[in-house]
Amino acid sequence: MAGTAVRRRLSWQRAEVLELRHETPRASRLTLRPPDWTGHRAGQHVDVRLTAPDGYTAQRSYSLASPPEREAVDLVVERLDDGEVSPYLTEELRPGDLLELRGPIGGYFVWPAAPDGPVQLIAGGSGVVPFLAMLGHHRASRSSVPVRLLYSARTVDDIIGRAELGEPGSDATDAEVTVTLTRGAPDGWTGPTGRVDSALLAERTFAPDRRPQVLVCGPTTFVETVARGLIDLGHDPGRVKTERFGASGGP
Amino acid sequence: MSFISRGFTGRRRKEEAPAGRLPPGQYDVGDGFPVLSAGPTPHTSLDRWDFSLRGEVDEGRRWSWEEFRALPREPVSVDIHCVTSWSKFDTRWEGVSVDTLLTEVETAAAYVLAFSDGGYTTNLPLADVSDGQAWVVDTYDGEPLDPEHGGPARLLVPHLYFWKSAKWIRGLTLTTADEPGFWENFGYHNYGDPWREQRYAGD
Ligand SMILES: Cc1cc2nc3c(=O)[nH]c(=O)nc-3n(C[C@H](O)[C@H](O)[C@H](O)COP(=O)(O)OP(=O)(O)OC[C@H]3O[C@@H](n4cnc5c(N)ncnc54)[C@H](O)[C@@H]3O)c2cc1C
């Protein structure tokens, strides 16, 4: 699991908020222009810091949703009603505001520089955000690596990244996208429903004998269940990478 | 600090924390115990588990699970601080002091690299894992350590950010030169003192 050394100083910068859009009823897309951006790798994140008038600060991590090929950077933040930072980012922030951040951070949970097999992405909820950057990069770099995304969302309205993913079921994207809905599907839904389990993994992801590189991202319990399911199916643990968005307060 | 985030007041969860025990930029996670790791949780059966000391030592050491369990044990009650900004107070563990493991070891090493099932590594100065500052623990809150939290055994170095407390530990390599471990290679701070907010390289 050795990595490339990325050892430069990370300093805070104030990025202008260019645009804010509702991505879903619960998630917003923030388009930012950091003054000093050296580029990023798909899958990296930034740390965002908020400062109150009395000096109190709160800091959280957010994945970059935009591919490295784009100049402005996007974050997609899901609002947790009882959260501290995400309600501010999704409801209080306005275009023209400055947002303190530093990054890009992380060199592990990233699109593989030289994939030596197909790439399987598996997301739960806002865990799809780093994969939007990866799929965008895959497209922009005309990569021919076979890619699949298995994405668990609550309802159709909760699907983050519909623009990038194409309407579920369509072939608007060059990756094979499967969305499973855990809280009910509308009439005419042709995709699967219910949580990601071993049957769905077996059916909709690259089989272990194709030696895919697998990236799993989402809430802790989702990641734990999926990673375990993959190992049980016979995937090499050394080829499964995980990123847990672990609600900071949850177990 | 001159910068203010317009309209942000914050939750001030800080005030709920015992005075003087919350490092800067951290908040009290209360009863929660978040899980973070870079890959799937390894499951090594106890009859195949061992703990070894290797590298710059006169003679390598190895303990089977039975032998490890028979070593003198200590209860440890400490605060822990994760780089992702949660802290947890008065966590209760039990295990073997690293001092016990290093008893009678002759070494010229100044560093250790902890290594784990799953390939994880993390580096620490030898001075930071001796003198009652570090343990290999296999019990949390009176129960065998859950695999999600690093069971059967993990390193516990509470005075540094928690990524230094390697889960699923299988041993220590003693080295004369400092060698960055897994997260340290990905831009995290080489030492990781929460009180100095050493999160990333250069902090
Ligand atoms: C590498 C990484 C990338 C990430 N990328 C994204 C992303 O792209 N998009 C995204 O939306 N999120 C992402 N996250 C998650 C994000 O960092 C935050 O955790 C998330 O936005 C919640 O922050 P918050 O301040 O709103 O909630 P918090 O205030 O941190 O609360 C989170 C939950 O914990 C509970 N809680 C916390 N403190 C207490 C307390 N004292 N008492 C009771 N309950 C408490 C609350 O119930 C709440 O629901 C990422 C996380 C990581 C580590």
Side-chain angles (χ1 to χ4, degrees), chain A residues 60-63 76 78 82-86 129 245 248-249, chain B residues 13:
Chain A
R60 299 288 186 275
S61 299
Y62 293 97
S63 301
V76 177
E78 187 180 13
D82 54 353
E84 179 175 29
V85 170
S86 60
V129 176
F245 278 11
S248 35
Chain B
R13 284 181 179 142

Side-chain angles (χ1 to χ4, degrees), chain B residues 14-111:
Chain B
K14 256 180 184 171
E15 268 142 42
E16 298 162 16
R21 284 171 65 183
L22 200 58
Q26 298 291 113
Y27 68 91
D28 179 0
V29 78
D31 292 335
F33 195 166
V35 174
L36 295 151
S37 61
T41 297
H43 294 269
T44 304
S45 67
L46 294 179
D47 52 347
R48 297 179 58 195
W49 187 94
D50 61 10
F51 188 92
S52 42
L53 286 181
R54 57 192 198 198
E56 195 61 46
V57 277
D58 50 349
E59 212 184 315
R61 300 281 162 98
R62 179 189 168 276
W63 292 268
S64 68
W65 178 253
E66 301 290 301
E67 290 162 345
F68 174 78
R69 290 283 302 175
L71 291 170
R73 305 172 60 77
E74 297 175 8
V76 191
S77 179
V78 288
D79 299 345
I80 56 177
H81 312 290
C82 177
V83 69
T84 60
S85 74
W86 55 268
S87 290
K88 191 169 170 58
F89 298 113
D90 301 315
T91 59
R92 292 171 48 238
W93 312 80
E94 196 188 280
V96 177
S97 165
V98 174
D99 293 327
T100 304
L101 300 167
L102 292 173
T103 314
E104 291 166 35
V105 167
E106 286 293 328
T107 179
Y111 302 94

